[in-house]
Amino acid sequence: MTGRDAPAPRQDLTPLLRARSVAVVGASQGDRFGGKLCLNLQRFGYPGAIYPVNPRYDEVIGRRCYPSLRELPERPDCALLAVPNARLEEALAEAAACG
């Protein structure tokens, strides 16, 4: 078997599938996508930490809202990006930079 035929190493998806904490980048109030994500996590009993991220809010769904991923008290296992397409690349780069 040559190097080309070797199977690609498998990535451990446990942090994604069993995330202990989730950041919602673009969290918002009300009926917007970021707000729905936050509300659904809370309503359906997500057991981990939920970190709303949006520099426009101090609080979302009764939780402190952080201005950026870099300012969270811990690195979340999963980041949900609920931002407009124009900000998606920036949000993804920030998530990658935070690990």
Side-chain angles (χ1 to χ4, degrees):
M1 186 182 278
T2 67
R4 278 189 160 176
D5 298 329
R10 292 183 182 236
Q11 181 107 11
D12 180 13
L13 297 178
T14 302
L16 177 64
L17 299 175
R18 292 194 178 107
R20 292 170 297 178
S21 57
V22 174
V24 180
V25 181
S28 61
Q29 306 288 353
D31 212 24
R32 302 187 67 171
F33 182 59
K36 287 180 181 182
L37 281 176
C38 290
L39 282 173
N40 284 337
L41 286 166
Q42 187 167 289
R43 279 186 191 149
F44 294 111
Y46 174 71
I50 302 169
Y51 296 113
V53 177
N54 189 327
R56 288 192 242 155
Y57 299 104
D58 292 326
E59 187 178 282
V60 170
I61 63 165
R63 298 172 190 268
R64 178 178 173 194
C65 190
Y66 296 86
S68 71
L69 287 172
R70 289 180 190 90
E71 296 180 52
L72 294 178
E74 68 173 324
R75 191 193 97 202
D77 284 338
C78 181
L80 305 175
L81 305 181
V83 297
N85 288 344
R87 291 200 44 242
L88 191 56
E89 190 174 335
E90 173 191 341
L92 184 57
E94 182 183 19
C98 291

